[in-house]
Amino acid sequence: MSTAASPAAPAATTNPPVQSSVEEPLDLVRLSLDENIYVKLRGDRELRGKLHAFDQHLNMVLGDVEENVTHVDLNPETQEEIVRTTSRKVDMLFVRGDGVILVSPPAKAV
Amino acid sequence: MSSFIPNQIFTTSGSLIDLLDKRLMVVLRDGRKIIGFLRSYDQFANLVLQDSVERIYVKNFYGDIDRGVFLIRGENVVLLGEIDNIKDDDLPLTQLSFEEVVRMRKEEADDRQKKERLRNQLLHNHGFSVDFLDTDLY
Amino acid sequence: MLFYSFFKTLVGQAVTVELKNDLSVTGTLVSVDQFLNIKLDNIRVDNESENPHMMSVKNCFIRGSVVRYVHLPPAAIDTALLQDAARREIQPSTAAVRGA
């Protein structure tokens, strides 16, 4: 987990000078602030929206969100799967981090 | 309890204090609804309810059964709400005996289970793994 | 603590809390704590007929861990300020982990 920093140095002096690099997973999310991201959630839910805030639990606030929920039903007669996605738009949404499966930065989200 | 209320380290204490001794509806993670008087709680939202009843709803009917004193572990609490006695006296629902609503609920559950089983069987035939998660969606 | 502070700024606003059991409760945000437990007043429930138990309830305390989303009033949120706060929030914790 710890890489370059000397273990003896106090936290204050080990503050990384540049914060534009990706050194640990959450840095990727930090670099996505103010960008459109894709979030996959538990319960077959997906979100696309602009990332306004996040924390270490991956709680997030997203703006101009589109949520897609996927349902799988079966037609009892033909035994065919019917995959339905319901979509809705939300202006501003707080998302609790414990439901987050993955976050994808803008490049892949487009 | 009362000894730690004055120095509120945990703000949960602050937000639940005005619900003390009120009649509350507590919704549990397994879907059960308990109504009782809140006598004590802590920072985890562990609760002690007195004179509690369990209420079962089926369609436009409900039934109560006395359950006495409950200590509910906080992690199983979904929400708790203060009962508005005016609203509660004027519910557009009909009260039946507890036994009656239990019977109705069983009928409803059997019906649902039959449909679920069929659907799961079909999904299974198509190579989907089917989890049997009846109520616990958390 | 970022979202704790954030929700404290929204006290008094109307929000909709969507729970993991699909219940949606709309009401005035009264208070929030460090677990993001939420208290709402003057509540209204979407699809009340499917949730008859909420008919007798006027205010409620929702345990933070059962929340899926909170729908927020966009007008009450300064997104630039929020992004700044998020950038500042994440740096100290990163440094602390590295230092440990």
Side-chain angles (χ1 to χ4, degrees):
Chain A
M1 158 133 80
S2 135
T3 49
S6 96
T13 61
T14 57
N15 237 337
V18 185
Q19 274 290 309
S20 58
S21 59
V22 175
E23 293 181 20
E24 57 169 61
L26 285 191
D27 288 346
L28 196 70
V29 186
R30 182 172 43 76
L31 291 175
S32 306
L33 275 168
D34 205 26
E35 306 274 359
N36 276 303
I37 58 165
Y38 164 83
V39 183
K40 188 172 160 64
L41 296 170
R42 291 169 62 160
D44 305 315
R45 285 163 199 270
E46 298 168 291
L47 301 175
R48 282 181 180 77
K50 193 190 237 189
L51 181 67
H52 291 305
F54 72 98
D55 66 9
Q56 66 272 36
H57 307 291
L58 284 181
N59 293 326
M60 289 181 264
V61 169
L62 300 176
D64 293 319
V65 191
E66 184 182 307
E67 184 203 43
N68 286 298
V69 189
T70 307
H71 314 259
V72 179
D73 286 327
L74 277 185
N75 184 329
E77 280 128 47
T78 62
Q79 299 220 352
E80 269 174 81
E81 300 141 49
I82 308 160
V83 179
R84 288 184 299 127
T85 58
T86 50
S87 184
R88 63 172 169 166
K89 292 232 170 19
V90 185
D91 286 338
M92 196 63 75
L93 193 66
F94 166 81
V95 181
R96 194 170 162 95
D98 58 4
V100 173
I101 294 173
L102 68 85
V103 179
S104 178
K108 278 176 76 180
V110 188
Chain B
M1 181 73 220
S2 55
S3 66
F4 98 61
I5 286 177
N7 43 11
Q8 282 175 22
I9 308 164
F10 301 101
T11 53
T12 312
S13 317
S15 65
L16 285 179
I17 193 163
D18 45 322
L19 294 179
L20 266 181
D21 298 328
K22 296 260 171 46
R23 193 156 161 259
L24 303 184
M25 154 84 63
V26 181
V27 180
L28 302 181
R29 272 198 323 176
D30 64 0
R32 282 205 269 181
K33 286 92 187 172
I34 312 290
I35 296 173
F37 291 91
L38 182 67
R39 295 305 187 199
S40 184
Y41 62 86
D42 62 16
Q43 69 270 31
F44 307 111
N46 295 323
L47 310 171
V48 173
L49 295 181
Q50 194 184 26
D51 296 331
S52 48
V53 296
E54 178 176 352
R55 183 171 287 185
I56 290 180
Y57 295 85
V58 184
K59 299 192 186 85
N60 288 323
F61 304 97
Y62 71 92
D64 289 345
I65 187 168
D66 289 340
R67 294 294 194 199
V69 176
F70 266 138
L71 188 157
I72 300 171
R73 192 173 151 89
E75 65 175 330
N76 296 306
V77 174
V78 173
L79 66 82
L80 41 122
E82 186 181 342
I83 299 270
D84 185 333
N85 284 322
I86 299 167
K87 282 185 177 179
D88 196 46
D89 288 342
D90 200 24
L91 288 179
L93 305 173
T94 312
Q95 182 165 13
L96 298 175
S97 74
F98 189 74
E99 293 71 25
E100 181 69 4
V101 287
V102 167
R103 194 187 56 73
M104 288 171 68
R105 185 177 63 166
K106 190 169 182 314
E107 271 171 24
E108 217 181 54
D110 287 349
D111 204 41
R112 197 172 49 233
Q113 230 173 35
K114 230 177 276 170
K115 286 185 190 143
E116 274 289 284
R117 209 173 291 146
L118 179 69
R119 183 170 166 276
N120 287 347
Q121 186 59 49
L122 293 176
L123 279 169
H124 179 77
N125 295 345
H126 281 73
F128 285 95
S129 97
V130 178
D131 298 326
F132 286 90
L133 295 172
D134 203 23
T135 51
D136 201 350
L137 303 166
Y138 305 93
Chain C
M1 294 305 253
L2 170 66
F3 288 102
Y4 170 48
S5 313
F6 170 65
F7 277 112
K8 277 206 291 190
T9 69
L10 294 178
V11 166
Q13 302 281 342
V15 298
T16 301
V17 182
E18 190 175 321
L19 276 55
K20 288 173 183 158
N21 63 1
D22 290 331
L23 179 67
S24 280
V25 189
T26 304
T28 310
L29 184 64
V30 175
S31 71
V32 63
D33 65 22
Q34 72 273 33
F35 304 115
L36 305 186
N37 298 326
I38 287 173
K39 258 186 99 174
L40 298 179
D41 210 347
N42 294 319
I43 59 161
R44 185 165 52 74
V45 170
D46 295 3
N47 213 342
E48 196 164 69
S49 60
E50 278 181 30
N51 300 287
H53 59 285
M54 297 304 287
M55 289 192 292
S56 9
V57 175
K58 55 180 172 184
N59 59 43
C60 72
F61 170 96
I62 299 169
R63 207 164 186 276
S65 61
V66 304
V67 171
R68 179 188 290 135
Y69 302 135
V70 183
H71 301 243
L72 306 163
I77 294 162
D78 182 338
T79 55
L81 199 70
L82 189 56
Q83 288 175 20
D84 276 357
R87 286 198 178 86
R88 275 200 308 275
E89 168 91 359
I90 207 71
Q91 265 162 320
S93 83
T94 310
V97 170
R98 289 216 183 87

